[in-house]
Amino acid sequence: MEIEVPVLIVGAGPAGLATSACLNKLSIPNVVIERDDCHASLWRKKTYDRLKLHLGKEFCSLPHMPFSSELPTFVPRVEFMRYLDSYVIRFKIGIRYNRNVESASLDDRTGKWRVVVKDLTSNLEEVYFADYLVAATGENSEGYIPKIDGLETFDGEYLHCSNYLNGRPWYDKNVLVVGCGNSGMEIAYDLTNWGANTSIVIRGPVHFFTKEMVFVGMCLLKYVEMEKVDKLMLLMSKMKYGDMSKYGLTRPNDGPFALKKKGGRTPTIDVGCVNRIKKGKVKVFPGISRIKEGKMIEFDDGRVGQYDVIVFATGYNSTVLKWLKDCKELFNEQGMPKPSHPNHWKGENGLYCAGFGRRGLEGISFDAERIADDISLTINLKKIPGAEDNYPYLKFANN
């Protein structure tokens, strides 16, 4: 079956939903393709129970729909899912679920994007032809577990954090969390609440702040230069936590927001794990050297410990290159945009990407609004003879 649509969006996470909503506001027809049986499946199926948005709701709403004033500043996971459900209804977002994209490439005959999709329910093939294609599968598409010597022979249980709900099954078990980002630190904290004997691998320097500190910092960035805000953030962190180097935590030389701008690396938002580390309830280890026989793990500093469970909070990989062809000018070998922010969202021949900017939900809104505006401008230019020759000037004037 062949289907023609002006804009095809692949992925019904927040990035795909936001892009569709912006297009609908401009009356531009579009269809969202989703491989799962629901929208926002990462949030709905692959997040731990105690998760809240780590940033204030002012920085996390999607375009054209702020969060309710009745919600707390840091929105719980369940309330965020309800927000997304309301978002889909309000903007009449058309989603085709249980559709797996097999391939997407430029069609030489029509000049359109030819997207081959498998309906996982009927097992039938659908072929979409679109003038514009938006890759909205994002940077967090597939959980990443690093290669570790001996992991395949580990006698215990190991899992990616996307499969972690809570620590209930591991009371009095020895659990090792690998990774000290937001997920790793919060899962380590959660495990101690459930009575697990918890350790965490922290391989390098990391910034750690309370969510209230980060909220203040992000608000100040609107009015104060980044260097000064970073200095204030470090001062607040040192005043609250002190010197944590004797516990295995050191801070980077660059400030938190400078690091974020440079490489998309976010500071860790502490929900209580740092205090547990101070009290000895969470033990800190450097990188894993190898996994020995049985459940024994050897660390880079020579220490050895026995663990029943390993939770890998080691991030995600983009999977866009598994299905998207003809995209070398936009994506690198890791499936991330080659152009840097703020020009990362647009490729050639009507190709766009949303949710790849390493800037969270605020970055998703940035991408969605610009993609929709650019598609609208391009469509309108095609209606005016000769207008496309002046595209750069007209785009500048439109902005």
Side-chain angles (χ1 to χ4, degrees):
M1 180 171 61
E2 294 187 356
I3 304 166
E4 290 199 14
V5 59
V7 185
L8 186 67
I9 302 167
V10 180
L17 302 182
T19 305
S20 180
C22 290
L23 289 166
N24 288 343
K25 287 280 287 185
L26 296 171
S27 300
I28 299 174
N30 63 90
V31 170
V32 181
I33 297 296
E34 169 57 44
R35 67 184 174 187
D36 217 319
D37 60 358
C38 61
H39 52 269
S41 61
L42 180 63
W43 286 89
R44 202 174 300 272
K45 297 181 177 183
K46 297 183 178 182
T47 50
Y48 43 94
D49 291 342
R50 60 167 288 115
L51 179 65
K52 294 182 181 179
L53 296 183
H54 290 119
L55 301 181
K57 62 184 180 182
E58 293 85 348
F59 303 101
C60 296
S61 62
L62 298 183
H64 312 299
M65 186 173 151
F67 284 102
S68 166
S69 59
E70 297 178 357
L71 289 174
T73 300
F74 302 98
V75 179
R77 166 180 170 263
V78 171
E79 293 298 336
F80 182 62
M81 289 190 294
R82 287 175 179 157
Y83 168 83
L84 293 178
D85 292 341
S86 298
Y87 196 83
V88 169
I89 295 170
R90 177 171 177 176
F91 295 105
K92 300 177 181 178
I93 297 173
I95 307 171
R96 297 190 174 184
Y97 297 107
N98 298 304
R99 259 74 172 186
N100 185 65
V101 176
E102 305 286 322
S103 67
S105 58
L106 275 171
D107 185 73
D108 294 333
R109 180 176 57 85
T110 63
K112 296 185 177 186
W113 286 95
R114 183 178 185 273
V115 184
V116 180
V117 176
K118 184 177 182 180
D119 184 336
L120 300 177
T121 303
S122 65
N123 210 34
L124 296 177
E125 184 178 273
E126 300 171 341
V127 180
Y128 293 80
F129 287 92
D131 296 305
Y132 306 96
L133 176 65
V134 182
T137 48
E139 60 206 36
N140 295 332
S141 184
E142 184 176 77
Y144 167 71
I145 294 180
K147 293 181 179 179
I148 297 175
D149 183 21
L151 181 61
E152 67 280 359
T153 62
F154 180 60
D155 280 350
E157 177 184 359
Y158 70 89
L159 66 153
H160 188 264
C161 64
S162 59
N163 295 314
Y164 178 90
L165 294 179
N166 58 59
R168 181 191 295 273
W170 302 312
Y171 171 78
D172 206 29
K173 299 288 188 180
N174 295 334
V175 184
L176 178 66
V177 179
V178 181
C180 60
N182 288 326
S183 295
M185 292 283 268
E186 187 159 2
I187 287 172
Y189 174 78
D190 187 60
L191 283 163
T192 62
N193 288 342
W194 289 98
N197 305 315
T198 309
S199 301
I200 187 170
V201 168
I202 300 179
R203 295 179 58 190
V206 59
H207 283 298
F208 39 93
F209 307 94
T210 66
K211 56 189 177 184
E212 291 79 11
M213 289 178 188
V214 174
F215 180 73
V216 169
M218 293 188 70
C219 291
L220 286 174
L221 283 175
K222 297 178 181 178
Y223 312 102
V224 182
E225 61 186 50
M226 183 186 298
E227 184 178 354
K228 292 181 178 178
V229 176
D230 272 347
K231 288 181 179 179
L232 177 61
M233 294 288 292
L234 286 172
L235 177 61
M236 289 192 293
S237 180
K238 289 176 181 178
M239 287 178 64
K240 178 171 177 60
Y241 299 108
D243 182 5
M244 291 293 297
S245 58
K246 62 182 177 181
Y247 301 103
L249 275 74
T250 58
R251 297 178 175 91
N253 293 325
D254 292 331
F257 291 117
L259 274 179
K260 175 72 174 173
K261 183 179 181 180
K262 184 186 296 184
R265 180 183 172 188
T266 59
T268 295
I269 297 175
D270 173 48
V271 297
C273 188
V274 175
N275 190 47
R276 298 286 168 90
I277 290 172
K278 278 186 173 182
K279 292 182 176 180
K281 293 183 177 180
V282 176
K283 296 180 174 62
V284 176
F285 291 89
I288 297 174
S289 174
R290 62 182 176 130
I291 296 177
K292 303 173 75 174
E293 65 281 349
K295 299 180 180 180
M296 301 301 293
I297 296 178
E298 182 178 322
F299 298 95
D300 289 343
D301 61 0
R303 286 184 287 172
V304 177
Q306 180 171 303
Y307 293 92
D308 303 295
V309 183
I310 307 173
V311 180
F312 286 97
T314 43
Y316 293 80
N317 283 335
S318 162
T319 58
V320 68
L321 297 185
K322 291 184 177 181
W323 54 270
L324 180 58
K325 317 301 177 186
D326 302 321
C327 61
K328 291 182 180 179
E329 86 291 340
L330 181 58
F331 289 102
N332 60 25
E333 293 179 354
Q334 287 73 46
M336 296 297 291
K338 289 181 180 178
S340 59
H341 180 86
N343 303 310
H344 60 282
W345 50 273
K346 183 179 179 181
E348 297 178 354
N349 304 307
L351 176 64
Y352 300 88
C353 66
F356 288 83
R358 298 189 186 277
R359 281 169 168 76
L361 292 165
E362 190 175 36
I364 281 173
S365 294
F366 176 94
D367 295 347
E369 291 176 319
R370 278 151 186 79
I371 290 169
D373 288 344
D374 195 75
I375 290 175
S376 177
L377 178 60
T378 306
I379 290 173
N380 289 330
L381 286 175
K382 288 180 178 180
K383 298 175 182 177
I384 305 173
E388 291 187 67
D389 295 334
N390 295 317
Y391 175 75
Y393 169 77
L394 289 171
K395 182 180 179 184
F396 174 80
N398 189 62
N399 292 335

